[in-house]
Amino acid sequence: MKLEEHVPLAPLTTLGVGGEARFFVEAHTLQEVTDALDYARTHALPVFVLGGGSNIVIADSGFEGLVLHVCIAGITCEEREKGRVNVTAGAGVLWDDLVAYTVAHGFIGLECLSGIPGTVGGAVVANLGAYGAQCSDTFVSAEVLARDDETHTARVFTNGMCEFSYHDSMFGHMPGRYLVLEATFSLLTTGTSHLSYRDNRFDLAALAAKHGREPTPADVRAAILEMRAEKGVLASSYKSAGSFFHMPFVSSEMYAKTVAKAQILDSTKEERLRPWAWEQPDGAYKIAPGFLLEYTEFQKGYVRGAAGISPKHTLCIINIAGARASEIALLARAMQQAVENVFGIHLEREVEYVGAVEKEN
Ligand SMILES: Cc1cc2nc3c(=O)[nH]c(=O)nc-3n(C[C@H](O)[C@H](O)[C@H](O)COP(=O)(O)OP(=O)(O)OC[C@H]3O[C@@H](n4cnc5c(N)ncnc54)[C@H](O)[C@@H]3O)c2cc1C
């Protein structure tokens, strides 16, 4: 294990803000992971597990503990039954490298999740999702280390044990307790998977018409990458941490109030932005936070000092040039406050703050 000190963390994140890690270990093997955890335990250091740094804001004062950068590599595949393959990837593999690998092999199941930054470990923790597909659709199991298990015995967590939900998992709601070492996905080798295309925002029929045949996973990947580039949600688009806020779920009464308020404020805008809410099986509504923000000053292209909002996506707070974490957090709080003032709806933060981000502003 190579223990480093005072390592700048901003370059290891997609937002590019924040200070240093007091201690830092880049772990490529299970042994390096356990050595780092032992070091942290012996020295009573808090640990932060870092993947691709695409869903976090690091405090300007950095992290006064040990940052364990999980870089476990490797992709393997094994045909379990005819027409299906299990693909296993190390937690440090870049998620999009895994997707590209499966698409190159003609496997079906991950192509809708193309172009999303971060690692395989981070994807499992966040139950990464886009265009109606989510990581848990094809996830079989993960090899996981419980941080408080001093015997360092890796355990297998199957899909049902991970408590996956919208953009969350058991690992996500117990941050730092478990460390994902590798994950396995079950993919189809023949046929067409319609399961992952259930979201009508991705028009598979139009793609089929364009190609004059059933789209291949490679066609779907290319279309998704193009769409993500247009929306500015590729890692290369802007320095951001992706969507800063979760989609709020509200009661049918609250939804009705929201429609009424939006129509009073600007009915043309309300009509133009439809659909902006989706009814759930339990009668609640899932609302696009970008729609709510459209009724505040926080629009696409908004600039406040060195921070701002992506010109292409209202939910992406961006680091325009040398922003500090405190500026990002202040802007996020102002956006939450504005939506609360107009609609009485609280936008929950999706992006995780690491270190003393909230105390710094
Ligand atoms: C431009 C852009 C677009 C995005 N688009 C999407 C999208 O379409 N859909 C979507 O769902 N997300 C999206 N995101 C958010 C982000 O890419 C995902 O949440 C991603 O899965 C985070 O993975 P990561 O490796 O970067 O995790 P990090 O940001 O490094 O960490 C996030 C959390 O996961 C934990 N973690 C990371 N690795 C491990 C591990 N091996 N074991 C245990 N815990 C771990 C960390 O401790 C932390 O709590 C986007 C982000 C950006 C910048």
Side-chain angles (χ1 to χ4, degrees):
M1 171 189 85
K2 184 175 164 217
L3 180 73
E4 297 175 70
E5 295 187 48
H6 301 292
V7 173
L9 293 172
L12 300 176
T13 69
T14 52
L15 187 60
V17 305
E20 297 177 342
R22 177 66 187 85
F23 297 97
F24 183 88
V25 173
E26 193 176 284
H28 295 266
T29 61
L30 173 60
Q31 188 61 52
E32 285 175 340
V33 168
T34 57
D35 287 351
L37 293 178
D38 282 341
Y39 183 88
R41 189 174 297 121
T42 311
H43 295 83
L45 294 171
V47 174
F48 176 72
V49 179
L50 176 67
S54 65
N55 209 23
I56 54 173
V57 178
I58 307 273
D60 294 318
S61 56
F63 185 71
E64 270 304 311
L66 187 147
V67 171
L68 175 50
H69 190 196
V70 177
C71 297
I72 299 171
I75 303 179
T76 56
C77 53
E78 184 190 356
E79 190 162 357
R80 277 296 178 91
E81 57 185 273
K82 201 157 173 47
R84 264 197 185 275
V85 69
N86 272 4
V87 178
T88 300
V93 170
L94 290 182
W95 174 260
D96 199 47
D97 285 355
L98 171 64
V99 176
Y101 172 95
T102 63
V103 168
H105 284 75
F107 302 155
I108 299 160
L110 297 184
E111 58 280 7
C112 274
L113 299 174
S114 290
I116 306 180
T119 58
V120 168
V124 172
V125 171
N127 190 19
L128 161 145
Y131 306 114
Q134 49 191 349
C135 173
S136 57
D137 292 342
T138 53
F139 174 93
V140 177
S141 62
E143 198 164 283
V144 173
L145 206 60
R147 287 257 318 278
D148 53 8
D149 176 3
E150 290 184 26
T151 67
H152 299 318
T153 312
R155 290 164 54 200
V156 173
F157 280 59
T158 55
N159 191 315
M161 295 160 75
C162 297
E163 296 172 24
F164 287 117
S165 58
Y166 165 72
H167 280 221
D168 204 4
S169 70
M170 182 190 74
F171 312 116
H173 42 249
M174 291 188 222
R177 171 125 184 240
Y178 295 102
L179 212 142
V180 177
L181 301 169
E182 64 173 37
T184 300
F185 301 87
S186 172
L187 307 175
L188 295 173
T189 54
T190 53
T192 313
S193 162
H194 288 285
L195 230 198
S196 53
Y197 309 129
R198 61 178 173 260
D199 193 309
N200 61 12
R201 278 172 292 169
F202 183 74
D203 193 345
L204 194 65
L207 194 61
K210 181 179 158 196
H211 289 286
R213 57 171 164 73
E214 198 74 12
T216 63
D219 296 333
V220 174
R221 175 170 167 79
I224 297 263
L225 289 177
E226 199 181 310
M227 203 154 62
R228 293 187 72 94
E230 272 167 27
K231 289 187 178 173
V233 286
L234 290 173
S236 54
S237 308
Y238 299 97
K239 284 187 173 176
S240 87
S243 295
F244 218 88
F245 305 105
H246 281 298
M247 288 200 175
F249 289 81
V250 300
S251 66
S252 54
E253 294 78 28
M254 191 57 175
Y255 166 68
K257 272 193 200 165
T258 308
V259 177
K261 185 77 194 255
Q263 286 181 344
I264 290 167
L265 291 172
D266 187 340
S267 59
T268 316
K269 184 183 268 188
E270 192 277 322
E271 272 172 41
R272 180 170 49 82
L273 295 175
R274 286 183 202 166
W276 51 266
W278 297 268
E279 190 174 4
Q280 303 299 298
D282 63 359
Y285 281 79
K286 183 169 86 172
I287 296 186
F291 170 78
L292 304 175
L293 283 160
E294 282 285 339
Y295 288 84
T296 71
E297 66 184 295
F298 299 108
Q299 314 263 323
K300 289 178 190 138
Y302 176 92
V303 176
R304 183 187 276 192
I309 296 175
S310 160
K312 295 184 175 173
H313 198 303
T314 328
L315 282 190
C316 288
I317 295 182
I318 58 172
N319 168 8
I320 298 171
R324 295 174 61 78
S326 55
E327 289 176 88
I328 301 285
L330 268 177
L331 175 55
R333 200 181 297 157
M335 291 164 78
Q336 285 171 313
Q337 194 58 59
V339 167
E340 262 181 61
N341 291 347
V342 177
F343 292 105
I345 294 176
H346 176 67
L347 293 185
E348 202 72 53
R349 195 162 23 84
E350 178 170 336
V351 170
E352 184 179 335
Y353 287 171
V354 180
V357 178
E358 296 199 273
K359 291 193 191 127
E360 288 172 352
N361 59 71

